[in-house]
Amino acid sequence: MRTLSTCRRTLLPGLLAPALLVPCLLTSPARAQTTENRPAPASPDTTAPAKVPFDGMDLTWVNGQNRQRNFPLQLRDADGETVLTGVALLDGYFNYNFARPLDHTQTISAVTGRSGEFSLALASIGIESNYKNIIGRLWLQTGSMLHLVQETDGSVQRGRNTGTGNLKFIREAAAGYHFRPNYGLNLELGIFMSYIGLESYVMQENWSYQRSLVCDFTPFYFQGARAQWFPTRNFRTELWLMNGWQTYNAFNRQPGVGSSNYYRPSENLQLVANFYYGKDSRPTAGSAAQGPAAYPGRARFHHDHSVVYRYYHKPKNQLRGITQAAFSLNNHYGFENGGGGLPRREAYMLGSSLANRLWFAKNRLALTTRVGFVKNPSRYLSFSPSAVGFTDPSSRLTAREATVTFDVMPSDFVTFRLEYLHRRANVPYFAGPGGTTSPSGYADQPLPAGWQPDLRQTENRALVSVNFRL
C-alpha cells in the first residue's frame, strides 16, 4: 500500500517555424512536463527541408498540454537560431474541504495537501535547448507538492549515498542528442516526468485542477534513459529504462522498462498507449538459510491508454458562443504478482476518467465536467488516508468522483480557476472533521491508546486557484 505520492506525462513539437529550432515546451498528455525535442533545421549546405513531426498541428487544446503559443524568454545567436528558452511558472490554490478537518490536512491528493489555507503548490523555473542537435533541459522546483510526491520515495532507504534532499528540487534534468533518421531520434538520460497517465504534473496543463484518481495514483517522475523515435509525421514511439516506479533509486537489481506510443492522425485526434513493467517493492527478508532476500520483490505491470478528441471547432473568424468542444478518456489497468505478496486477483488496479470541455468567448472561458472511478482492492497504488493509526489496509477499495471546473484565461500566460469536487468510496477513506493526525490536530501530540483517524466515505471540496506561466 502506498502513501501519498504521485498523470503526466512527452511531448508535442512546438508550433513555431521549424527553422527557429525552438525547444518544444508543450508537454505531453502523459503525466507531465517532459519535452519532445524538435529536429534540427537543415544545415546551410543542404537544400532538404527539416522533417518536423506533427508539423502544423495546433495541439494547445489537448488535456495535459501547455496551451502557450509564444515563448518570450528566448536567447538567439547571431544567425537568429534559438540557443536557450527559459520558462517560469507559479501555481497557488485555496482548497476548502466541507468536512473541515481540524488538522487542515487534505488527504487522497498529490496536488492539494492542505485545507482551509492558502498554499503555493508549485513554483518552477527552467531552461531548455536543442541547439545544434544537442539536447539539454533543467527545471528547478519548490512548493508544497514536493512533500506529497518526491518526499514519499521509499527507494532512498536502500543503502547509503541516497536521499530526496537534493533531487526533489529538480523537476526535470536531462541531456542527450538528436539524430536525423525519418522524422527524428532523440536519446536522453536524466530525471524525466512520467509518461504514464493523461493528466500533467503541471496543473495549468490539465482541464481540471485536482487530477483524476487514476492519474494521481500513478507516477510523476522517473530517473533513467529513454529513446524517442518519430518514424512518420504523425507517430512517436518511446522506449524507457528507469530505476523504478516513481523512484530515484532501485528497489531491486533489474531496471524497470516501459513503452509509450502517440498517434495523431489529425489536429483533432490523439491516441496514446503506455506500458510499464518492473519490480518495485522492497525484497522480503528470509532466514539465514534462505539468504538476505527470500523474495526478490513483486513484479508490477501497468498499462494506460487514452483518446482525446476535439469534436467541434469554430473557424478563427467565428469566435462567438461555444468556440471549441472536446472530450478525453483515460483508462488504466495494472497488477502486481509474486514476491510473497497477494495474488494478482487481489493486487490489481482498474480505473477510468472521462472529461468533456467547452470553450467560450474566444477561448478565454472554459467549462469542464469530469467523472471517474478507480478499483484497487489491495491498495498497492492508492494513497493511505493517514500516516498513523490507520488499521484497516486490507479493506477492498473502490472510489468514484465527479468534478466541475470553470476557467478564466485572459491570456495564454495566466489562468483563474474555480472547481467543485465530489468523491465517494465504498469504505471510510476521506478525512472527516476529526482529522487524520491526532486528537488535537498537531503532529507532536502522543497518540492515546485506541485513537483512530476520522475517516468518512464521502468528500466534497471547492477549489480556487491561480497560475502564471511564461
Side-chain angles (χ1 to χ4, degrees), residues 232-267:
T232 70
R233 174 179 176 270
N234 297 328
F235 180 68
R236 186 190 79 240
T237 185
E238 300 183 6
L239 292 177
W240 288 69
L241 288 175
M242 48 276 202
N243 289 339
W245 176 278
Q246 188 160 291
T247 63
Y248 292 120
N249 305 109
F251 281 109
N252 292 279
R253 294 183 178 181
Q254 67 184 51
V257 296
S259 171
S260 179
N261 304 276
Y262 286 76
Y263 179 52
R264 300 183 180 103
S266 74
E267 183 176 290

Side-chain angles (χ1 to χ4, degrees), residues 6 20 24 71 80 102 136 145 188 252 267 325 410 428:
T6 73
L20 296 180
C24 170
F71 302 92
L102 87 166
M145 274 205 329
E188 299 177 78
N252 292 279
E267 183 176 290

Side-chain angles (χ1 to χ4, degrees), residues 15 26 58 60-61 65-72 88-89 204-205 324 359 362-364 408-416 467-470:
L15 304 174
L26 303 183
D58 178 5
T60 58
W61 60 272
Q65 294 289 343
N66 181 7
R67 73 171 190 273
Q68 279 180 267
R69 290 176 171 83
N70 298 307
F71 302 92
L89 68 88
Q204 175 257 8
E205 300 174 356
Q324 296 186 106
W359 287 261
K362 299 181 180 180
N363 297 328
R364 293 176 181 173
V408 179
M409 302 166 287
S411 78
D412 289 346
F413 306 114
V414 66
T415 303
F416 300 90
N467 66 64
F468 158 82
R469 182 170 187 163
L470 188 63

Side-chain angles (χ1 to χ4, degrees), residues 61 63 198-199 206-208 212 307-309 311 325-330 352-359 367-372 403 405:
W61 60 272
N63 194 2
L198 173 66
E199 293 168 295
N206 300 326
W207 291 355
S208 301
S212 62
V307 178
V308 187
Y309 178 57
Y311 56 88
F327 76 84
S328 69
L329 176 64
N330 187 212
S352 183
S353 176
L354 174 64
N356 188 80
R357 186 170 175 91
L358 304 176
W359 287 261
L367 178 67
T368 301
T369 55
R370 185 186 67 194
V371 294
T403 305
T405 307

